[in-house]
Amino acid sequence: GVALAVVQDLGLTDPPPMAGLAKGREEGEADKVWLPGRKNPVDFRADSPGLLLLMKIRDESHRYVQSFHHRTRKKGSIRSVLMDIPGLGPGRRKAMLKQFGSVQAIGEAALEDLQAVKGMNRTAALAVHAFFHPAAEPPGDRQDLSLPEV
């Protein structure tokens, strides 16, 4: 369904044929092939060459994605931008993601909202705010560093 919606949103004049493949719910139950606009799945025998081909394609795509995922995790390339913020450990990162739901929402949060996260203090909240808003000065933290006239 999601793939269909994406193809429709793209407005393709000649969209590719699409089908969904669902594993059987019960042990030994054949996989089911669903076509757009059909209420019931296409009826294939469990040993049908067409169904077996679709299952092999699915299994190979899963194998490829899993091996790619394992390689990238092993290399350490899957990481959060939150790891680049000094003084922000895994506990605070997790608490912020739980509170805000995404890194983007954390970046858009006000300083007061960052401070309200469980486990956060003003120093950590300032570090997060400054990371996402490098040009902005946090409210109430400006110090007058000008020299008095002599």
Side-chain angles (χ1 to χ4, degrees):
V2 172
L4 265 176
V6 169
V7 168
Q8 289 171 348
D9 287 349
L10 290 173
L12 300 176
T13 54
D14 189 23
M18 301 190 77
L21 184 61
K23 288 190 175 188
R25 293 179 185 246
E26 304 288 326
E27 182 69 31
E29 184 181 357
D31 291 3
K32 298 190 181 331
V33 178
W34 298 86
L35 297 177
R38 273 186 72 136
K39 184 177 178 180
N40 298 317
V42 177
D43 192 23
F44 281 100
R45 289 186 341 263
D47 63 345
S48 164
L51 180 60
L52 293 175
L53 175 63
L54 291 173
M55 291 167 53
K56 285 185 179 193
I57 291 169
R58 181 217 33 224
D59 293 345
E60 178 61 19
S61 67
H62 286 176
R63 186 201 63 76
Y64 178 81
V65 168
Q66 286 176 339
S67 67
F68 174 78
H69 177 72
H70 289 226
R71 279 194 315 269
T72 54
R73 279 186 59 109
K74 189 174 182 179
K75 291 179 184 176
S77 63
I78 296 178
R79 58 189 313 271
S80 171
V81 68
L82 298 176
M83 296 172 85
D84 295 336
I85 302 174
L88 202 62
R92 286 181 174 158
R93 288 194 301 264
K94 186 175 180 179
M96 285 195 310
L97 285 170
K98 184 176 181 183
Q99 175 103 9
F100 296 105
S102 71
V103 173
Q104 181 177 353
I106 292 169
E108 294 170 355
L111 180 61
E112 295 77 24
D113 296 332
L114 293 169
Q115 281 182 245
V117 173
K118 184 178 179 179
M120 290 289 283
N121 58 28
R122 182 156 179 83
T123 304
L126 284 169
V128 172
H129 193 271
F131 180 84
F132 287 103
H133 307 280
E137 277 186 339
D141 280 358
R142 182 178 181 153
Q143 297 177 1
D144 186 9
L145 299 177
S146 59
L147 298 174
E149 289 186 31
V150 182

